[in-house]
Amino acid sequence: MDVENVRQRLAGIVGPDYVTDEPFILVTYTQDFGVQPPRQPALIVRPGNNDEVAAVLKLANELHLPVSPRGGGSAQEGGCQSEGGIVLETLRLDRIVAIDEDTATVRVQAGITFARLMTTLEERGWKIGIAPSGAIAGTVGAHLSRPGVGWGNVKYQTQGHQVVSLRVVLPTGEIVDTGSSANPTAGGAFRYALGPDLAGLFIGAEGAYGVVVEATLRLYPLPKTIYLERYVGSDLGEAIDIFR
């Protein structure tokens, strides 16, 4: 890879402040919260909107460069690591696009943290089904791309089960919507429209098939009381049974 040439072309897309190959910055992107061996990317790029994500992926596709999407880096599986490729960080995509109380859904950009989303929703009397244990740093796009569990998974299963629709940028740079959101005149969002469940293609894929840039999630009325219970087991088998 001609790193300097690629850096300049990426700077033309996102601006020079949002792309870097500085070694002291690259080293901070070599790992997530897990224990995998560090892998150092060649470049970090931080797009600020969907069109910039699309342009970055078009360039990477043209040059046959690997791209690893990254949220807050709070996961433990190493899915956001890249050896000599481009890490595409989504943290600038951090808006709540719409809260639809009639259909009990919220549409957000992929880089919003769960802490910010939950605080905003609770002020309006709503909650989401699942939040990761690393909610301060964890982002929606990263969590559903695993798909993650966390607070609430005993009742609400996984983050993937909370997805109503996705907006995804494919490796070619095309932007697609899943479910009924693919029809701009449909109104509302329904995951299981006519045809296959395309959202399921991207949930759990760790960004391998495209970069999730927006997600619509289910909402639930905020209960009067939320509490946690802790169970203690004497061996691993007992702990697994409790979890089940």
Side-chain angles (χ1 to χ4, degrees):
M1 181 197 305
D2 184 343
V3 174
E4 178 59 23
N5 176 60
V6 177
R7 187 189 65 77
Q8 290 181 6
R9 294 184 67 177
L10 289 172
I13 296 170
V14 302
D17 292 340
Y18 299 110
V19 59
T20 186
D21 61 348
E22 291 281 358
F24 76 96
I25 297 179
L26 294 181
V27 74
T28 66
Y29 287 82
T30 59
Q31 290 178 284
D32 59 8
F33 200 60
V35 296
Q36 293 79 11
R39 286 181 275 173
Q40 183 155 313
L43 290 155
I44 311 298
V45 63
R46 305 180 67 225
N49 57 56
N50 296 349
D51 290 337
E52 289 182 359
V53 175
V56 168
L57 293 187
K58 283 181 182 178
L59 176 63
N61 195 43
E62 172 195 334
L63 301 177
H64 303 287
L65 301 176
V67 177
S68 296
R70 177 185 174 101
S74 62
Q76 302 176 21
E77 296 82 17
C80 62
Q81 291 178 293
S82 174
E83 185 67 55
I86 298 171
V87 167
L88 187 156
E89 187 186 82
T90 62
L91 293 181
R92 293 180 64 210
L93 306 174
D94 63 351
R95 292 190 303 110
I96 296 176
V97 179
I99 299 173
D100 189 335
E101 300 188 60
D102 292 332
T103 61
T105 59
V106 58
R107 184 177 179 183
V108 298
Q109 292 186 305
I112 192 169
T113 64
F114 279 93
R116 182 178 167 200
L117 173 60
M118 292 162 63
T119 298
T120 302
L121 292 175
E122 288 173 8
E123 290 172 352
R124 301 179 63 158
W126 294 94
K127 68 180 290 292
I128 53 174
I130 295 176
S133 55
I136 293 176
T139 63
V140 169
H143 203 236
L144 66 86
S145 292
R146 292 166 58 198
V149 295
W151 305 327
N153 69 280
V154 172
K155 181 174 182 179
Y156 301 106
Q157 301 184 37
T158 73
Q159 196 63 248
H161 290 88
Q162 302 306 301
V163 173
V164 178
S165 69
L166 299 176
R167 176 165 288 179
V168 184
V169 182
L170 302 182
T172 56
E174 297 172 272
I175 301 176
V176 299
D177 291 290
T178 69
S180 65
S181 297
N183 180 352
T185 64
F190 301 92
R191 177 167 173 175
Y192 303 103
L194 294 176
D197 172 28
L198 294 182
L201 183 66
F202 303 102
I203 295 170
E206 294 276 9
Y209 302 139
V211 177
V212 174
V213 290
E214 292 182 18
T216 301
L217 304 178
R218 303 182 189 280
L219 292 181
Y220 304 90
L222 183 67
K224 293 181 179 179
T225 303
I226 298 177
Y227 67 96
L228 301 177
E229 290 185 353
R230 175 172 293 177
Y231 297 89
V232 178
S234 59
D235 59 60
L236 179 60
E238 211 173 60
I240 292 173
D241 287 340
I242 291 172
F243 187 82
R244 285 173 174 166

